Amino acid sequence: MNGDVVRLYKGDPNQKTIYSSDPVQIAKKWEGFGADMIHLVDLDATLGLGDNYETLKEICQNISIPVQIAGGLRDVTKIANTLDFAQRVVIGTLLMQLKQSEQEQILLEIIAQFGKDRLVVSIDHIDGEIVTHGWQKNTGIKLLNATNEFANDGFSEFLTTNVSRDGTLEGPDIFSLEQVC
């Protein structure tokens, strides 16, 4: 966020902890510790406050392990441009919008264009209901229903976050993870 490495408390941009102003160095540090992949979220893009695209690209160019990128990837052009330097992208809002508007053909075209192995479905939730747009909009769709629908579409990679636990340092929501798995 704003070029810094941060942790938000329950997704609230007003409650953030800044860990570093050098994200490239932090990524190199994790690589040095033996991480086999790095997951990056562009919180500014997620919240519609701009983006950190060049910083994300710079991180990918300076480490040798795979990177998956999330945050604000809400159109095919952004997905394609990000996949030029990242190994995988995480998409949620766009996929949920396509599902809700019954535009299944576009969804299938995205899978065909990029391959399901490079696409991770974000199924973020609050109390079991899917949220989108940087966790700001509740869709009313149940976590398990969304997971099953996307699995039926051929997706096999999922990332789920219980927003009420995110950034709290309380550990993962094991109950929801067990349900999804």
Side-chain angles (χ1 to χ4, degrees), residues 13-138:
N14 297 313
Q15 295 187 60
K16 68 180 174 186
T17 301
I18 299 174
Y19 290 99
S20 173
S21 60
D22 190 348
V24 174
Q25 189 59 36
I26 296 297
K28 286 180 178 183
K29 183 177 177 180
W30 281 109
E31 180 180 37
F33 286 150
D36 58 4
M37 176 183 277
I38 293 183
H39 171 76
L40 302 172
V41 181
D42 186 341
L43 292 170
D44 290 325
T46 296
L47 297 168
L49 303 173
D51 67 63
N52 293 280
Y53 185 81
E54 291 304 319
T55 300
L56 297 171
K57 189 174 183 179
E58 184 180 357
I59 291 168
C60 291
Q61 292 169 339
N62 283 280
I63 60 174
S64 60
I65 59 176
V67 175
Q68 77 178 19
I69 294 179
L73 300 169
R74 297 183 184 138
D75 65 57
V76 175
T77 301
K78 285 182 184 176
I79 292 169
N81 289 342
T82 303
L83 285 172
D84 282 344
F85 57 84
Q87 284 67 41
R88 299 193 317 188
V89 294
V90 181
I91 48 179
T93 297
L94 174 63
L95 294 181
M96 292 306 299
Q97 287 175 325
L98 293 173
K99 278 284 187 191
Q100 288 180 309
S101 63
E102 299 181 8
Q103 296 182 25
E104 297 292 323
Q105 187 57 38
I106 296 173
L107 180 63
L108 297 174
E109 289 171 14
I110 289 171
I111 294 171
Q113 182 175 350
F114 303 113
K116 66 180 180 180
D117 59 322
R118 297 192 76 195
L119 303 172
V120 179
V121 179
S122 175
I123 47 173
D124 300 330
H125 67 98
I126 297 174
D127 299 326
E129 290 192 352
I130 301 298
V131 290
T132 61
H133 296 85
W135 304 344
Q136 306 301 309
K137 293 185 181 180
N138 188 322

Side-chain angles (χ1 to χ4, degrees), residues 150-165:
F150 286 117
N152 288 337
D153 289 332
F155 289 100
S156 60
E157 301 293 327
F158 295 88
L159 184 142
T160 184
T161 301
N162 181 340
V163 178
S164 62
R165 295 281 290 265

